[in-house]
Amino acid sequence: MTTLENATIGDTTEVRRADGKRPPWMEKPNALTQTLKFIVLGVAVAVVIIPFWSVIATSLADQKTINDAGGGMVMWPKGVSFDAYHAVLSGGVVTRAVAISVGVTVVGTLLSLAATAGLAYWLSRPGAFGAKPVLMLVLGAVLFSPGLIPSYLVVKEFHLLDSLWSLILPVLVNAFNVIVMRAFFQELPKELFESAAIDGVGAVTTLTRIVLPLSKAVLAVIGLFYAVAYWNAFFNALLYIQSSDKWPMALVLRTYVVNQTTIGGDSAGEALPPQLPLQMAILVIAIVPILLVYPFLQRHFAKGVMIGAVKG
């Protein structure tokens, strides 16, 4: 069996075999391998980009283009028309739903990050009072779901039905996110906490002034998880929200695209014509906000997804 050696050159360490050659996986790939990689990556990109472009193109297509395509999706609109976006936004239903979803997403994400960071910090401190029983409860929440009926009864007993708080408070803390953030906090240098204790700094100040500034990567990842979950909140809204004027974007999208019915006013429940550009315009409005937020978190996301994968 061939053994490997570590050859240190300057500040770098290079892995070599006993015979002085590098392992096969460290060699430069040949032209065939690079071509295959390019083809695979190109296919993967096309699988992602083409459907999204088709949605945008269909939302901008006029009725003639849709008719020429047999009433289906188009890849390139012959005539660009913003009538679908005007029809969606002029009525106010989608605009109000977007505002509700933005409010729920922003408030919910901030509250969830605060609650998750506080709980994870408490569970990560050695010798914290009651940390072990609570950690067992958190681990149990990962494995077992409370169920639909108990969750509904809890929301009802707290008088949260038909309230936007029913989209935030029942899902305020995610057990998996707590475990991930706790693992990150445990990897921070112990000397930081010892220095803070010597200086007489309290736990809250240590968390806000020392821990959180060093945890931008995990906060970005967990914050993105929470934001996507709140923005796509559909099932909870379907269960807890009865008033259509309080529906978030995900529920309005379902009503327009799946049920093909209007919302509110005298036209509630009235069937809409199968206008594909109208449906695709609503879909674009629902997708774009998350796509706009992701680039600002990307530099932290790559580091954050590696949390706990490597132990130093």
Side-chain angles (χ1 to χ4, degrees), residues 84 87-97 247-264 267 270-276 278-283:
V88 168
L89 299 177
S90 62
V93 175
V94 176
T95 305
R96 182 176 63 246
W247 283 1
M249 186 64 201
L251 200 52
V252 171
L253 177 64
R254 172 185 178 273
T255 303
Y256 270 87
V257 176
V258 178
N259 295 346
Q260 296 187 0
T261 56
T262 58
I263 304 172
S267 59
E270 179 183 342
L272 285 175
Q275 299 178 0
L276 196 58
L278 177 67
Q279 300 172 3
M280 296 302 104
I282 299 175
L283 186 59

Side-chain angles (χ1 to χ4, degrees), residues 34-224:
Q34 289 181 328
T35 302
L36 292 177
K37 288 181 178 180
F38 179 80
I39 294 175
V40 171
L41 290 177
V43 172
V45 171
V47 169
V48 175
I49 296 297
I50 291 178
F52 185 64
W53 169 253
S54 180
V55 169
I56 297 178
T58 305
S59 69
L60 296 174
D62 54 15
Q63 190 61 44
K64 183 178 182 302
T65 304
I66 297 297
N67 294 336
D68 294 341
M73 305 287 289
V74 300
M75 291 301 301
W76 190 264
K78 298 179 180 178
V80 176
S81 173
F82 293 93
D83 293 341
Y85 291 93
H86 177 73
V88 168
L89 299 177
S90 62
V93 175
V94 176
T95 305
R96 182 176 63 246
V98 170
I100 292 174
S101 291
V102 169
V104 169
T105 300
V106 172
V107 175
T109 301
L110 293 178
L111 292 178
S112 293
L113 280 177
T116 302
L119 180 57
Y121 177 72
W122 174 41
L123 297 178
S124 67
R125 294 300 87 213
F129 176 76
K132 289 186 178 180
V134 174
L135 180 59
M136 292 297 103
L137 292 176
V138 172
L139 293 174
V142 176
L143 300 175
F144 304 100
S145 174
L148 178 60
I149 296 178
S151 300
Y152 182 86
L153 293 178
V154 170
V155 172
K156 182 179 179 181
E157 288 299 320
F158 280 94
H159 305 287
L160 294 177
L161 291 179
D162 205 26
S163 170
L164 294 180
W165 287 109
S166 63
L167 305 180
I168 298 176
L169 297 181
V171 292
L172 185 65
V173 177
N174 182 279
F176 176 78
N177 293 339
V178 172
I179 294 175
V180 171
M181 192 172 291
R182 172 180 175 270
F184 184 89
F185 290 163
Q186 287 180 323
E187 294 180 359
L188 293 177
K190 297 180 180 179
E191 292 77 10
L192 294 175
F193 302 100
E194 294 174 355
S195 300
I198 294 175
D199 294 337
V201 178
V204 177
T205 305
T206 303
L207 175 62
T208 56
R209 298 292 183 86
I210 299 177
V211 176
L212 294 184
L214 297 174
S215 307
K216 293 180 180 179
V218 68
L219 292 175
V221 174
I222 300 302
L224 183 62

